[in-house]
Amino acid sequence: ILKTLNSWFWWENIWMPINCTWADFVDRDGLVFPKPHQLYATIPYAFVLLIIRFFSERYVAIPLAKALGIKNVRRVKPQPNPVLESYFRECSRHPSQSEIKGLAKKCNCTVHLVEKWFRRRRNLEIPTVLQKFQEAFWRFSFYLTSSIVGFIFLYDKPWFYDIWQTWVGYPFQTLLPSQYWYYMAEIGFYWSLIFTLGIDIKRKASDFKAHVIHHLAAIGLMSGSWCGNYVRLGTLVIFVHDTADFWLEAAKMFNYARWEKTCNMLFIIFSIAFFITRMILFPFWILRATLYQPTYYSTTPVIAYFLFNGMLLTLQGLHLYWGYLILKILKRFVFLK
């Protein structure tokens, strides 16, 4: 069954133009092609990024937070109590008064002690400002580095200025070393975010689902574009996304430090960058190149055309959702101060 599924998955008609086979993607005559098996390396790269994250949060983010006036608040842990812990995890974090009385009898202690235990236990679940700052610092560091490196990799490429160049010579476009490392780092980063979903700052259910969908769609898109050698377009998509994100993380960092004016200024810059990149460049530049331009090079679109554009449209749906939230915040900022 696995062999059959594998043969279906790598069927040429899914990935490449008509009259092309996987045999055509063998390195030759100075041409180097991306290979699907290279994507396995993104998992070890993800763990390397997690190690870098650990040291940067500990030895850079914490001293920076202290310099900005953020204090590390230590919360008092409740006394170990298996009965109350089990009830907290499996039943309710906010028991009613009658439930508290029942638990007090069961544990042979006072109602006041049970209430105090639940209050302290709930406080442990709330992330400290320092923890939030550390997470924002890591994302800021990666997105800023990725944006700078991406610009260095792309500024001298013709497809950075003329989107039609992404299709010239396709699918026989050679893979550049800069494109390899750009992809590996970006996919590894999103794998690392998925690996730490359980320990990162807990978000509201709707935001959590949006982040999971975004991370999986990003990995699926980058991995698929790697296999189909849509690398030129892929690097543009990565660059368009990362250039707005580091402004948001910077605004968060100064928000946690209570530098209100700096935070407001950075958030306005982020909002402008977001709407330029996600509401203008992405739909009218990137999506135009993936939906419209391929019809000039092939009269019979491959299945990958529909798969990739479906995922790109999913991302655009998330952009619209986040854009709506940003507009709500801007409305409160302008009208309610």
Side-chain angles (χ1 to χ4, degrees):
I1 292 173
L2 289 174
K3 193 175 181 181
T4 304
L5 290 173
N6 187 60
S7 63
W8 286 351
F9 184 79
W10 296 113
W11 183 36
E12 280 92 348
N13 288 3
I14 293 178
W15 295 95
M16 57 192 67
I18 198 166
N19 298 326
C20 285
T21 66
W22 289 113
D24 297 321
F25 282 78
V26 177
D27 296 350
R28 65 184 187 281
D29 304 327
L31 285 174
V32 178
F33 298 105
K35 300 163 186 64
H37 68 80
Q38 292 172 317
L39 293 173
Y40 291 126
T42 59
I43 303 298
Y45 290 149
F47 286 104
V48 170
L49 286 171
L50 287 175
I51 294 170
I52 296 171
R53 175 180 176 175
F54 172 79
F55 283 102
S56 66
E57 286 186 355
R58 186 160 189 170
Y59 296 108
V60 182
I62 292 178
L64 179 60
K66 289 179 180 178
L68 292 173
I70 297 174
K71 297 178 181 179
N72 186 15
V73 179
R74 292 188 178 182
R75 295 200 172 103
V76 180
K77 290 184 179 181
Q79 291 292 325
N81 190 312
V83 174
L84 298 181
E85 182 67 31
S86 176
Y87 193 89
F88 181 87
R89 290 181 177 277
E90 298 173 12
C91 299
S92 174
R93 298 182 179 188
H94 298 271
S96 64
Q97 200 62 33
S98 61
E99 289 170 332
I100 288 175
K101 287 178 181 178
L103 288 168
K105 287 181 181 179
K106 199 171 183 179
C107 297
N108 196 25
C109 61
T110 64
V111 170
H112 174 71
L113 285 175
V114 174
E115 288 175 337
K116 186 175 167 183
W117 189 96
F118 272 93
R119 187 167 56 251
R120 286 182 173 177
R121 184 64 182 83
R122 283 194 299 268
N123 286 340
L124 286 180
E125 298 286 306
I126 303 171
T128 64
V129 174
L130 182 60
Q131 288 173 320
K132 292 180 179 180
F133 182 90
Q134 287 176 277
E135 186 176 315
F137 173 81
W138 165 243
R139 291 172 185 257
F140 166 79
S141 302
F142 181 86
Y143 289 135
L144 178 62
T145 304
S146 177
S147 299
I148 294 171
V149 170
F151 181 76
I152 293 170
F153 287 165
L154 288 168
Y155 85 97
D156 61 343
K157 307 298 187 295
W159 53 88
F160 189 58
Y161 308 96
D162 180 9
I163 197 74
W164 284 92
Q165 293 293 325
T166 57
W167 295 108
V168 173
Y170 182 81
F172 304 111
Q173 299 169 340
T174 192
L175 175 70
L176 303 175
S178 60
Q179 292 171 329
Y180 171 84
W181 288 110
Y182 199 28
Y183 256 74
M184 293 297 111
E186 199 76 18
I187 298 175
F189 175 70
Y190 281 105
W191 275 125
S192 73
L193 292 182
I194 287 178
F195 294 158
T196 57
L197 276 173
I199 59 175
D200 280 341
I201 305 301
K202 287 183 171 59
R203 296 176 171 84
K204 288 186 289 187
S206 58
D207 284 346
F208 178 81
K209 289 176 184 176
H211 275 81
V212 172
I213 293 170
H214 177 270
H215 298 343
L216 292 176
I219 292 172
L221 262 172
M222 288 186 284
S223 300
S225 65
W226 179 265
C227 296
N229 200 19
Y230 301 107
V231 174
R232 290 184 181 180
L233 268 170
T235 52
L236 294 178
V237 173
I238 294 169
F239 182 74
V240 162
H241 278 73
D242 287 353
T243 47
D245 288 344
F246 70 86
W247 292 107
L248 175 62
E249 301 303 331
K252 288 181 184 178
M253 289 162 60
F254 283 100
N255 180 46
Y256 300 142
R258 298 187 183 278
W259 288 37
E260 190 176 333
K261 290 183 179 179
T262 306
C263 170
N264 291 342
M265 181 185 69
L266 288 169
F267 188 79
I268 290 171
I269 295 172
F270 159 72
S271 301
I272 295 169
F274 181 92
F275 284 103
I276 290 173
T277 57
R278 310 290 177 91
M279 300 300 181
I280 299 175
L281 288 179
F282 188 80
F284 298 108
W285 190 48
I286 301 292
L287 285 179
R288 181 173 174 269
T290 60
L291 287 167
Y292 168 69
Q293 291 178 0
T295 59
Y296 276 80
Y297 293 92
S298 176
T299 54
T300 55
V302 293
I303 297 173
Y305 169 87
F306 301 99
L307 294 175
F308 292 142
N309 280 301
M311 286 189 282
L312 286 170
L313 290 170
T314 300
L315 275 184
Q316 185 57 26
L318 289 171
H319 297 164
L320 293 172
Y321 167 71
W322 281 318
Y324 166 72
L325 297 180
I326 292 166
L327 284 175
K328 283 179 66 177
I329 295 171
L330 287 174
K331 182 181 176 182
R332 287 167 56 191
F333 172 70
V334 172
F335 295 106
L336 304 177
K337 301 300 181 183

